[in-house]
Amino acid sequence: MSRAAVLTGLGAWAPPTVVTNEELASCLDTDDEWIRTRTGIRQRRVIAPGEATSDLAVEAGRRALKSAGTTTADALVLATSTPDRLCPATAPQVASRLNLGTVPAFDVAAVCSGFVYALAVGAGLIATATADSVLVIGADTFSTVLSPSDRATRAVFGDGAGAVVLRAGSPEQDGALLDLGLGSDGSRSDLIEIPGGGSRQRSTGLPTDLEGTYLTMRGQAVFAQAVHRMSESVRETGARTGWPLETVDRFVLHQANARILTATAKRLGQPVERFVTNIDQLGNTVAASIPLALADGVASGELLPGHRVVLCGFGGGLTWGSVALVWPQLNTP
Ligand code: COA
């Protein structure tokens, strides 16, 4: 029997500080109605001064381990594009703080597709018997890379973390990751970027460098690509899994914008009611968005054991990816 990666635990964490649309409107040229109608977002969470991505990752990771009924994992994969520092990776600190010992731990950077990419890496570690269990975390704090004066990005992004535990099992088990399809298009890397701080645009130490450390986004082009890539990716994963899309109970897509979800549902010819969403409460939490949507879907009863589920991420890079699984019975963390 072949060896599969099986989802056995789920945890999520969003920082308690809420920023409402009204609060954004008090300091930016925007208003609640514009943000709600263009994005579906009512509020987002942000970290407190002094907090960092690892703090959120630890909270989500702890909850996922508890949900899986364990305190250990053989490896930790952290999807993030806002690491605590550019070097070293953030994952080893998270592993230490979770008392996982000296297990392999590393970051995966695929922006809003990061969680699906990290699932694929975790599944690969299990398939090759490098690990019997992997803690996969998606955590980002994009509030730390947004220009205070950019009304478009500040309306969209929020902070958060979500995690799952993968364990070696059989493809017949509920929770087994059945199909993982990933893709990228680096020719469109300019659509979402932080130009400065890396080896291409190094800091000169001048105050003018600050602008280069902020996220830039070409919103309309990103919108069109998100709908195109996510609908193709979901279609391909459905076909490879042998699931006609009509038989998929829930689609859990990256929470980028409510209109992107509606347009993708329409492109796929599937009712938007089967697309789990929590974007009104959390905004776009980047690598955390899919596991946070899973946790909210479970909490609201939208996502039930036995459901056929397709997850799909899309983000900067450009990158995208999907995974199919039958939703397992999990303990609430
Ligand atoms: N409040 C008011 N006006 C805003 C605004 C805000 N929060 N954000 C942008 N605008 C303005 C723009 O400045 C522009 O003004 P102008 O015409 O005077 O230049 C106008 O609204 C239209 O901008 P546009 O970018 O065409 O708006 P849009 O309808 O595409 O909405 C986004 C902007 C960012 C909400 C939308 O493009 C989007 O969600 N894109 C995808 C973003 C995303 O998902 N990113 C992550 C992908 S992983």
Side-chain angles (χ1 to χ4, degrees):
M1 197 196 311
S2 61
R3 192 173 150 97
V6 180
L7 196 156
T8 60
L10 170 69
W13 175 250
T17 306
V18 173
V19 177
T20 63
N21 290 347
E22 286 80 7
E23 284 170 87
L24 282 186
S26 70
C27 55
L28 288 167
D29 183 14
T30 187
D31 58 74
D32 172 55
E33 209 218 325
W34 194 98
I35 299 173
R36 264 191 301 106
T37 53
R38 300 293 183 107
T39 69
I41 300 166
R42 290 172 186 273
Q43 60 181 45
R44 67 286 299 144
R45 304 288 190 89
V46 297
I47 52 169
E51 265 190 314
T53 298
S54 61
D55 301 319
L56 307 189
V58 167
E59 291 293 340
R62 201 189 316 278
R63 284 166 171 75
L65 291 167
K66 191 167 175 211
S67 152
T70 184
T71 53
T72 64
D74 295 339
L76 188 153
V77 185
L78 173 65
T80 188
S81 298
T82 43
D84 287 11
R85 291 163 285 177
L86 210 50
C87 173
T90 303
Q93 286 173 63
V94 176
S96 282
R97 287 172 61 188
L98 288 170
N99 297 315
L100 296 181
T102 55
V103 299
F106 53 94
D107 295 359
V108 166
V111 201
C112 300
S113 310
F115 184 72
V116 176
Y117 267 70
L119 282 180
V121 173
L125 292 173
I126 286 175
T128 54
T130 307
D132 286 332
S133 61
V134 183
L135 177 60
V136 175
I137 307 177
D140 268 305
T141 53
F142 265 48
S143 68
T144 63
V145 293
L146 303 181
S147 163
S149 60
D150 185 351
R151 58 186 177 172
T153 56
R154 285 194 63 198
V156 168
F157 291 97
D159 301 340
V164 297
V165 174
L166 299 179
R167 196 176 289 286
S170 90
E172 284 75 35
Q173 275 177 268
D174 286 358
L177 305 186
L178 298 176
D179 180 81
L180 272 153
L182 307 174
S184 78
D185 177 7
S187 72
R188 315 303 302 275
S189 63
D190 60 323
L191 295 189
I192 305 169
E193 64 170 342
I194 299 171
S199 59
R200 177 70 64 197
Q201 189 176 318
R202 298 176 208 184
S203 172
T204 58
L206 295 170
T208 48
D209 279 353
L210 198 55
E211 279 301 317
T213 64
Y214 294 137
L215 181 87
T216 64
M217 179 176 72
R218 291 173 43 202
Q220 282 199 9
V222 171
F223 193 111
Q225 282 290 318
V227 175
H228 166 56
R229 295 300 183 184
M230 286 203 288
S231 53
E232 285 301 300
S233 180
V234 166
R235 222 187 281 283
E236 286 166 15
T237 284
R240 280 195 303 263
T241 312
W243 289 356
L245 294 184
E246 296 69 38
T247 71
V248 173
D249 297 292
R250 294 289 178 265
F251 299 93
V252 185
L253 271 49
H254 168 53
Q255 306 287 300
N257 178 321
R259 283 164 52 228
I260 291 178
L261 295 180
T262 310
T264 307
K266 198 170 166 202
R267 180 86 58 100
L268 289 167
Q270 302 304 316
V272 76
E273 292 70 31
R274 282 198 269 124
F275 288 65
V276 172
T277 183
N278 61 358
I279 193 160
D280 61 325
Q281 296 300 308
L282 296 176
N284 177 347
T285 55
V286 191
S289 100
I290 291 176
L292 278 166
L294 290 173
D296 281 340
V298 170
S300 68
E302 261 187 282
L303 197 55
L304 295 171
H307 270 165
R308 284 183 168 186
V309 180
V310 173
L311 317 181
C312 179
F314 167 85
L318 299 175
T319 54
W320 56 88
S322 293
V323 56
L325 74 160
V326 175
W327 193 252
Q329 179 75 52
L330 297 176
N331 293 321
T332 329

